[in-house]
Amino acid sequence: MFRYSYFVLSVLIISMLLLTGCLSQGGGAGEEHPGLPDETVITSNVSASTDLEGEILFYPTFDENYKTGSNEMFAFWFDIPVEWKAVDRSEDGSEYHILPGNYKIDIRIYGQLADGPEEEFYKQLAGKNGEIADFVYRDNWIGKKITVSESETYFVRVDGDSYLILHVDAAEDPGWMAENEEVIIYIAKSARTARESFGRKAGEANRITPEDLKLGDIEAGMTYEKLMDIVEEEPVEKTGEEYHGMKAEMLYFPDDTQVYVVNGIVHIVNVVDPHYETPRGLKPGDSEERVIELYGEPDNKDEGIWGYCIDGYELMTIVIYDGTVSQIQIEHGVWETDVFM
């Protein structure tokens, strides 16, 4: 059996609504941030973003080197390297400290209510000699990167009447910033107020609907038991893992269909067999012209990988090779969250 290498495991488990306002009592502009205590001293607030011990919950991302976590108060999400930690030392759950394993580095992500003109706020953060420049986030939102000095930077994203701010201060170890610039930029680009967004513009019509997330009789969001009733054959291979108490399995079937199941729910389905058709009639082997005829131009298009979104979430991906559809992948939508509550 040939195992197809392109199977996007963007298993982002919990969804959040867009942030409409952030009210923070701490972590605001112009405040002095004292040095962090030793990283082993952690006090956390319990919320839907944390476990029973108050530790922040993290989930897999499409990049195996990173994990994603969220803040319930401000409904923001962010990615950090899998070996890093994040803790809530605030009194009200409004701000997270990101811990890179170096106690000299102060990294914080928080929300703050906008009060006054944006430009004045940026100037306040920049101080006398800081530089203010545009910064493009992963979902194509344009914010600001404010370089206070070689060892201190702010990344600011405006959402409604609020700011989502990532602050990095490496004054006690200036060389660290240069050595970890790529990671910091990655974290900054990931800061968002939805589970995962690929840049859908406000008011733009969805090209697909939840009803499109079906391949043959296999539907994203169905139970494992129903999947097995439909397939009527056992997988030729299974690989599994447990992540923060969630059981995840990758199932490989004889026709090269791959299914990713989390806690008994089908989250991702990838097919290469023409036997599987979408509700609109698209199947592997069809021409790219047929894709356009049925779905229109994709929301995302990159080197033969076409993505179609619902409310900014890429939930159907079509791989085009040599002018024809070679793979179709669907993912479980973000409108059902009770499975993991």
Side-chain angles (χ1 to χ4, degrees), residues 13 18 51 88 97 144 159 188 194 204 236 282 286 295 298 310:
I13 305 301
L18 286 177
D51 62 18
D88 178 3
H97 287 84
K144 297 294 181 183
D159 287 283
E204 183 180 4
V236 295
L282 186 71
D286 284 346
Y295 295 99
I310 299 177

Side-chain angles (χ1 to χ4, degrees), residues 187-321:
I187 295 171
K189 283 181 176 289
S190 78
R192 59 205 186 271
T193 51
R195 185 197 68 174
E196 181 58 80
S197 174
F198 291 82
R200 176 175 175 265
K201 299 176 182 177
E204 183 180 4
N206 293 318
R207 289 176 171 80
I208 60 173
T209 69
E211 287 71 31
D212 286 306
L213 303 180
K214 192 173 181 181
L215 291 165
D217 292 325
I218 301 177
E219 188 173 359
M222 68 170 41
T223 64
Y224 172 82
E225 290 75 14
K226 189 171 182 180
L227 168 71
M228 298 310 296
D229 287 342
I230 290 170
V231 176
E232 296 183 339
E233 59 182 349
E234 289 295 318
V236 295
E237 183 181 350
K238 289 184 181 182
T239 59
E241 63 177 349
E242 289 196 7
Y243 204 94
H244 281 293
M246 295 180 296
K247 184 179 180 182
E249 285 186 303
M250 177 70 80
L251 312 178
Y252 301 92
F253 291 93
D255 61 359
D256 285 320
T257 295
Q258 300 177 27
V259 181
Y260 194 69
V261 178
V262 180
N263 281 4
I265 299 296
V266 172
H267 268 261
I268 303 178
V269 183
N270 182 278
V271 301
V272 298
D273 193 316
H275 172 74
Y276 295 98
E277 283 192 1
T278 70
R280 301 192 197 187
L282 186 71
K283 61 185 182 300
D286 284 346
S287 67
E288 61 181 88
E289 289 80 13
R290 177 66 170 164
V291 180
I292 300 298
E293 176 187 342
L294 293 174
Y295 295 99
E297 288 290 337
D299 297 289
N300 308 305
K301 194 173 185 178
D302 183 23
E303 296 182 356
I305 301 174
W306 295 12
Y308 290 86
C309 301
I310 299 177
D311 295 337
Y313 296 78
E314 187 175 294
L315 299 179
M316 185 170 75
T317 306
I318 299 169
V319 180
I320 305 294
Y321 180 74

